[in-house]
Amino acid sequence: CAKQAGKNEVRFFASAMHGAAQEQAQLERRLRRALDSGAFRLHYQPVVTLGGAESSTFEALLRWTDAELGPVEPDRFIPAAESSGLIVPLGHWVLEEACRQLRGWHDAGHESFRVSVNVSPLQFEQATFVDDLTATLERHGVSPAALTLELTERLIVRDLSGAQHKMKALRACGVEVWIDDLGAGQTALSYLLRLPLSGVKIDRSFVQTLDDTGTGQMVQAMVALARALKLGVVAEGVETPEQLRSMQTLGCEQVQGFLLGRPMPAEAVVPWVGGRALEAQPGAQPGSEEL
Ligand code: C2E
Ligand code: MG
Ligand code: MG
Ligand code: MG
C-alpha cells in the first residue's frame, strides 16, 4: 500500500510538472507575441536624493498587460524571459525605449533627467552588449552620462572577470554601473572592491526588517563600505516615514520607494517633478514630508 501511495505521488508530481511546463511554454508564447506587437511599456520610479539636489534619476521598470492574463508582474515574466532567452531582445527594447524617452525629456528642456535600466545576466553576457549599447545611445543622441545600468550579484558570481572587463568598457564610455539588490544574494563583499562600480542599491528586504536585531547594523556596514569605496548608496523599498527616517539616520543619501514615488508612466514624470518642486517651496502645506 505504501508502494502504491508512492506511485500515486510520483504520478501526481509528474502531472504537476507537466502542468507547470505547459504554463511556462504558454507564458513564453505570450511574451514573444507581446514583444512582436509592442505590448510592453516602461514605467519610471524616482530615485530621490535626501536633503538636497532635485531628484532627476528614474528607474525604468517593465510593465506588461496580457489580453487574457491581465497585468503580469515582472517577477513572474522576467524569469520566463530569461529561461527562454527572450530577455535578450526584450532587454534591447528596454534600452532602446529608455534612450528614446531620455531624448524626449532632454529635448523638452529636462536636461538633468537620467534613467537607470535593469540588465539581466544573459543580456549583459552577449558579446556585442557594450557595442550595441553605445550604438543605441548614439542613434538617439543621448549622452552616456544620462544612463545607469543596474546589475545583480548573480551576474558577478557567474563570471567575475568577464563582468570586470565589460564594466570597465562601460565606465570608459561614461555609463554608470550599479549593483542592484545588494545583500539579497551571496556575493562576497570583497567582489565589490574589484569592480568599477558607481554605486549600490540596498535590497528592499533590509528596509522592511529594520526592526529586527542586527538589520540596522548591517545597513550601516553596507553604507560604510560604500563610503570607503566612494560609491553611491540607494535604499530601496521605503514605504513609511519611519523607514525613511531610519535610512537617513543610517547614512543613506538616496532612497527609492512607494513613500516617495511609485513607478509611473513616462507622461506622469514631468508633472511629478513639478509637484515636488512646489512642495519644496516655503509655505508648502504641512504634512508633506520634509525630505
Ligand atoms: P528591482 O530592479 O529591484 O526594482 C525594484 C522593484 O521594487 C520594482 O518592482 C518596484 O516597483 C518595487 N518597489 C519600489 N518601491 C517599492 C516599495 O516601496 N515597496 C515595495 N513593496 N516594492 C517597491 P517591479 O517593477 O515589480 O520589478 C521587479 C523586478 O523585475 C525588478 O526589481 C527587476 O529585477 C526586474 N525588472 C523590472 N524591469 C526590468 C527590466 O527592464 N529588465 C530586467 N532585466 N529586469 C527588470
Ligand atoms: Mg533595479
Ligand atoms: Mg532592486
Ligand atoms: Mg529585485
Side-chain angles (χ1 to χ4, degrees), residues 75-97:
D75 284 334
R76 192 167 153 223
F77 72 76
I78 296 282
E82 285 177 339
S83 62
S84 62
L86 268 180
I87 195 67
V88 175
L90 182 55
H92 264 133
W93 179 83
V94 171
L95 284 167
E96 187 72 33
E97 175 61 15

Side-chain angles (χ1 to χ4, degrees), residues 42 45 59-63 73-75 78 82 87 94 118-120 123 150 180-181 204 208 236-239 256-259 263:
L42 287 183
Q45 185 181 32
E59 178 173 4
L61 294 160
L62 264 170
R63 292 294 176 261
E73 297 269 310
D75 284 334
I78 296 282
E82 285 177 339
I87 195 67
V94 171
N118 295 285
V119 177
S120 285
Q123 183 189 356
E150 298 187 10
D180 201 0
D181 304 340
R204 195 165 78 211
Q208 272 150 15
E236 301 191 281
V238 174
E239 294 178 356
Q256 195 178 342
F258 293 166
L259 176 70

Side-chain angles (χ1 to χ4, degrees), residues 275-284 288:
R276 271 188 62 84
L278 275 181
E279 268 175 44
Q281 274 173 13
S288 51

Side-chain angles (χ1 to χ4, degrees), residues 194-212:
R194 299 196 249 156
L195 296 169
L197 297 171
S198 297
V200 294
K201 300 182 83 165
I202 298 178
D203 192 64
R204 195 165 78 211
S205 59
F206 291 94
V207 175
Q208 272 150 15
T209 58
L210 275 175
D211 294 336
D212 298 357

